[in-house]
Amino acid sequence: LRCSCFMAILSLAYVGLSRPLSRRYTSKWIYYVGLILLWGYLIPFRPSILIRVPRDVIAAMPAAASGPIQEMQQVEASTLPITTAQGNPTAGVDLLQLLWLCGVLVVLAFQTYRHIRFHAGLRRWCSNADDQTMQVLDEAKATMGVKQPVSIMLCSCISSPMLVKLTKPTILLPDADVDEENITMVLCHELVHYKRKDLWIKLLLVAAVSLNWFNPSVYLLAKTVMLHCEISFDEAVVRNRG
């Protein structure tokens, strides 16, 4: 809880400064700063390092030197968990931990359900792309330097292009008539998603939101990070163009 509250302060500062900073810096660097904050949410516990000194060593040390060590022992003793008369941990702490864990499981289950339902709809509404679109994809892959296999399909149930599937990357295009130049730009954008492993980043975002489901700032951070993610990919596509 302490770590999540500390990350909330940093996240609110990041969100508030992202717009003014975008006037001086590219969205790529703002996006990378957001990813650093993301790791702060992914590690909900910070390790505490305690140095233990044997009692015989303390007894052999001068009184002036043993003073700080005695203070450390007092601080260490004061950090022990409060216990009841029976010696069990405080019931309130156990209840909060159980509540947090239940929230994590519920959010993960909900995200998993959405993922399964979405891919079930893809199998129903997607169709193979025509030869002309496949040729444009090959040209876009050559332009972006992508040599790995990437599939492409047309889907009538989506309103904007997207990249799906971690192991077998597939670009989904709305089933609508789009001129060749715009399709090339769209495909280059989605290939940048693939080159920068954006699907894995989104998976980490889901994990961060799940671990910090009680913290509103993590949802705001995820939205801001993905916004600058998309803008940074557009920057990469239009670089070196007219």
Side-chain angles (χ1 to χ4, degrees):
L1 181 61
R2 182 172 61 249
C3 295
S4 186
C5 291
F6 175 72
M7 293 305 304
I9 298 174
L10 296 180
S11 299
L12 293 177
Y14 167 79
V15 173
L17 293 174
S18 60
R19 184 177 294 273
L21 288 178
S22 62
R23 301 189 184 102
R24 298 189 58 184
Y25 303 97
T26 63
S27 290
K28 174 182 177 180
W29 297 110
I30 301 176
Y31 169 58
Y32 285 159
V33 172
L35 294 184
I36 295 175
L37 294 178
L38 170 64
W39 282 105
Y41 282 104
L42 287 172
I43 308 175
F45 303 103
R46 304 292 188 269
S48 57
I49 302 175
L50 297 177
I51 302 176
R52 300 184 181 274
V53 181
R55 294 183 180 275
D56 54 348
V57 175
I58 298 176
M61 296 178 64
S66 61
I69 297 179
Q70 292 176 355
E71 294 178 0
M72 290 174 57
Q73 289 181 334
Q74 293 176 358
V75 172
E76 180 181 345
S78 65
T79 58
L80 293 175
I82 302 175
T83 57
T84 60
Q86 291 77 16
N88 295 324
T90 308
V93 176
D94 287 346
L95 181 60
L96 287 176
Q97 291 177 347
L98 181 61
L99 178 62
W100 170 72
L101 183 59
C102 290
V104 172
L105 296 178
V106 168
V107 175
L108 284 176
F110 174 72
Q111 295 291 346
T112 303
Y113 168 75
R114 288 183 58 188
H115 180 76
I116 294 175
R117 183 177 179 181
F118 175 74
H119 281 273
L122 293 182
R123 288 192 294 268
R124 179 179 180 182
W125 299 104
C126 285
S127 59
N128 295 325
D130 52 42
D131 295 338
Q132 182 179 358
T133 305
M134 293 294 297
Q135 182 178 357
V136 175
L137 175 61
D138 292 336
E139 295 174 355
K141 289 174 60 178
T143 302
M144 303 303 298
V146 176
K147 299 180 180 180
Q148 293 78 6
V150 178
S151 304
I152 184 171
M153 300 190 74
L154 302 179
C155 189
S156 59
C157 65
I158 61 174
S159 57
S160 61
M162 64 183 66
L163 178 70
V164 297
K165 298 182 180 181
L166 289 171
T167 56
K168 297 180 179 180
T170 303
I171 297 176
L172 301 181
L173 294 179
D175 192 4
D177 294 332
V178 184
D179 58 89
E180 182 176 340
E181 182 179 1
N182 286 335
I183 289 182
T184 301
M185 300 287 284
V186 167
L187 294 180
C188 288
H189 176 98
E190 298 304 324
L191 289 174
V192 176
H193 276 287
Y194 171 73
K195 291 181 64 176
R196 296 187 181 177
K197 311 298 181 184
D198 179 55
L199 291 180
W200 293 99
I201 300 298
K202 291 182 178 180
L203 187 62
L204 293 179
L205 279 173
V206 171
V209 170
S210 301
L211 289 174
N212 301 268
W213 56 269
F214 57 90
N215 192 339
S217 65
V218 70
Y219 301 93
L220 189 60
L221 174 69
K223 181 179 179 180
T224 306
V225 167
M226 293 313 302
L227 171 64
H228 286 283
C229 172
E230 294 294 334
I231 298 176
S232 67
F233 292 167
D234 285 337
E235 291 173 347
V237 171
V238 300
R239 187 181 298 120
N240 301 325
R241 293 179 180 266

